[in-house]
């Protein structure tokens, strides 16, 4: 397989993905204005009427976008399993595993508490719900919060194949950890298997790179399709709520993470923000931390220099239990709903919100829209009407995209901190702005040298 260097004058992959994102958003917005739904541009043909909007939005954009998301999801379970088994095998010491897990979970919880506390504070200062008069859309149905005991029980798969098939990430992680430990303890047989797993890991990572190369098309179609529906003009009463949530999300992603990274590691925040762009755009486009695992794993290991033994564990774990962006949504939405319904919340209520928002994120996988289900748990906890969620449904698509970008950025940041503290981090890779770009460009016409 030949590779062409990113510095050969043509645009590198990140630039192409950024351009695709912007072009997708502009195309969607233009289509929405030039060909609004209903008032279609229909071209009468001999046998049937040809609808240009239908062809583009429901045809090309929908198909390419969905195929792109499905292809990313396709890689998640095999990649997490194989790379985590490799990671555990290379650790050699199970005590280390406990320490890494402890640090990762501790940092994930810490960043979530910071996120939700900041969200509540800013929402209280800006009062997004004051004076808003709205009727809730009651079509939203809530779900019971699982007990903490149930969350732990659910981490252990009774059937690993069912866990694989259903994409239950915590169960896949637990099975991979146990399998990796057993392999490390299995002497010669384990060593033989390790070689096979390492090769498999290489091949699957290659598949990730191939998909990354096709990402500009996928990202363009996904965003062009989505932005034909999203219009800021229809936000009406919700505009203040929307601006506050997005504002807090941006502060957390662009300010809090870089500051925490600097404090914990002394590394350059600028390089971090530069290198995380691809991953954040993926998260934004597909609204799913889970589907972004392959890209995030590639970014943290190949571009940021975190060893696979750490990243293969912390990234999938973070995609499942760390959702700072979602916690921010919950903080702002709780204050907003309380204000709209004129209900006063006490300090204890706010502490409950912080605790529930943090714990709720542990048991729920990072997939589109799940933040609202978690929000229902938070509202129940403090006695706010769950129908309140109906109020914010209308703008949640864009909020979901943005909070997912924040969620995946947090996973990468924590992985670097844990990696560096464990001596499993290569600073020269981190500092090299071109790291990883040599393997990123694939020439599909020449599969072999
Ligand atoms: N879509 C988010 C994620 O995958 C979860 C959410 O709905 O907040 O991270």
């Amino acid at each position: 397989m030949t590779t062409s260097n990113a510095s050969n004058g043509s645009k590198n992959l990140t630039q192409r993905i950024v351009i695709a994102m912007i072009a997708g958003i502009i195309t969607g917005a233009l289509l929405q204005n030039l060909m609004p739904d209903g008032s279609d541009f229909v071209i009468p043909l001999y046998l049937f009427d040809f609808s240009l909007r239908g062809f583009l939005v429901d045809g090309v954009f929908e198909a390419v976008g969905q195929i792109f998301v499905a292809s990313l999801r396709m890689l998640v379970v095999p990649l997490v399993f194989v790379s985590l088994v490799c990671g555990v095998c290379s650790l050699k010491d199970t005590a280390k595993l406990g320490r890494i897990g402890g640090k990762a979970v501790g940092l994930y919880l810490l960043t979530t508490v910071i996120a939700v506390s900041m969200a509540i504070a800013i929402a209280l200062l800006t009062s997004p719900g004051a004076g808003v008069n709205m009727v809730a859309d009651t079509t939203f149905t809530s779900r019971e919060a699982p007990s903490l005991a149930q969350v732990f029980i659910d981490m252990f798969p009774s059937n690993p194949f069912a866990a694989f098939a259903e994409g239950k990430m915590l169960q896949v992680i637990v099975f991979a950890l146990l399998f990796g430990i057993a392999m490390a303890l299995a002497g010669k047989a384990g060593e033989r298997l390790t070689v096979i797993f390492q090769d498999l890991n290489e091949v699957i990572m290659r598949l990730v790179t191939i998909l990354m190369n096709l990402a500009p098309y996928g990202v363009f179609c996904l965003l062009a399709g989505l932005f034909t529906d999203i219009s800021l003009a229809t936000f009406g009463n919700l505009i203040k709520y929307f601006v506050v949530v997005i504002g807090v999300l941006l502060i957390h992603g662009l300010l809090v993470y870089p500051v925490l990274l600097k404090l914990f590691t002394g590394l350059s925040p600028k390089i971090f923000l530069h290198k995380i762009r691809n991953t954040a755009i993926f998260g934004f486009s597909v609204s799913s931390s889970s589907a972004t695992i392959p890209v995030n794993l590639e970014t943290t290991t190949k571009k940021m220099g975190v060893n696979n033994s750490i990243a293969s564990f912390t990234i999938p774990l973070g995609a499942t239990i760390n959702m700072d962006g979602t916690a921010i949504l919950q903080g702002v939405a709780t204050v907003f709903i309380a204000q709209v319904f004129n209900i006063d919340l006490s300090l204890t209520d706010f502490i409950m919100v912080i605790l529930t928002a943090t714990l709720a994120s542990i048991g729920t996988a990072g997939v589109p829209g799940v933040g609202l289900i978690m929000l229902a748990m938070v509202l129940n906890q403090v006695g706010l009407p769950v129908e309140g969620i109906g109020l914010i449904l209308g703008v949640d698509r864009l909020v979901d995209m943005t909070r997912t970008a924040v969620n995946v950025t947090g996973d990468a940041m924590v992985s670097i901190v844990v990696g560096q503290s464990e001596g499993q981090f290569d600073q020269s890779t981190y500092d090299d702005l071109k790291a990883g770009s040599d393997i990123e460009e694939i020439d599909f016409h020449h599969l072999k040298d």
Side-chain angles (χ1 to χ4, degrees), residues 283 286-292 319 322-323 325-327 329-330 365-374 396 399-401 403-405 407-408:
V286 302
S287 291
S288 162
S289 307
S290 289
T292 313
N322 181 50
M323 295 184 201
T326 308
L329 153 89
Q330 292 166 356
V367 290
V370 76
L372 292 187
I373 294 170
M374 288 148 70
D396 199 61
V399 175
D400 191 6
M401 297 164 83
R403 67 184 184 246
T404 309
N407 290 346
V408 296

Side-chain angles (χ1 to χ4, degrees), residues 74-122:
M74 162 182 91
L75 294 182
V76 174
V77 170
L79 178 62
V80 170
F81 181 64
V82 171
S83 70
L84 191 48
V85 168
C86 289
V88 177
C89 273
S90 67
L91 276 179
K92 302 219 169 18
D93 173 2
T94 42
K96 237 181 181 173
L97 203 61
R99 206 173 56 220
I100 296 168
K103 281 184 192 172
V105 173
L107 283 167
Y108 283 145
L109 294 182
L110 173 76
T111 52
T112 309
V113 169
I114 294 176
V116 61
S117 314
M118 178 172 71
I120 292 177
I122 296 184

Side-chain angles (χ1 to χ4, degrees), residues 253-420:
L254 300 176
L255 213 73
V256 175
Y257 286 144
V259 168
L260 287 177
L261 183 76
K262 183 83 191 165
L263 282 179
F264 283 123
T265 63
L267 294 169
S268 155
K270 220 169 131 196
I271 298 184
F272 175 73
L273 289 177
H274 180 83
K275 294 194 173 187
I276 199 68
R277 271 185 310 179
N278 266 353
T279 311
I281 293 179
F282 264 78
F284 182 80
S285 312
V286 302
S287 291
S288 162
S289 307
S290 289
T292 313
I293 292 174
V295 180
N296 211 356
L297 207 46
E298 187 179 83
T299 306
T300 41
T301 53
K302 304 251 161 68
K303 295 188 176 171
M304 295 183 173
V306 182
N307 195 298
N308 181 54
S309 61
I310 303 290
S312 63
F313 178 47
T314 51
I315 293 291
L317 184 70
T320 320
I321 72 165
N322 181 50
M323 295 184 201
D324 298 349
T326 308
I328 288 172
L329 153 89
Q330 292 166 356
V332 178
T334 310
V335 175
F336 174 78
I337 291 169
Q339 286 171 348
V340 174
F341 286 94
N342 269 319
I343 299 172
D344 278 334
L345 293 178
S346 64
L347 186 63
T348 334
D349 289 331
F350 286 123
I351 293 174
M352 270 326 272
V353 172
I354 296 176
L355 283 179
T356 324
T358 310
L359 290 178
S361 61
I362 298 181
T364 354
V367 290
V370 76
L372 292 187
I373 294 170
M374 288 148 70
L375 177 60
M377 300 176 190
V378 175
L379 295 179
N380 268 330
Q381 228 11 272
V382 290
L384 283 175
V386 174
E387 310 84 82
I389 294 177
L391 297 177
I392 54 170
L393 270 181
V395 297
D396 199 61
R397 195 72 198 85
L398 207 49
V399 175
D400 191 6
M401 297 164 83
T402 317
R403 67 184 184 246
T404 309
V406 172
N407 290 346
V408 296
T409 304
D411 302 341
M413 195 279 290
V414 168
S415 302
I416 298 175
V417 177
V418 177
Q420 199 210 39

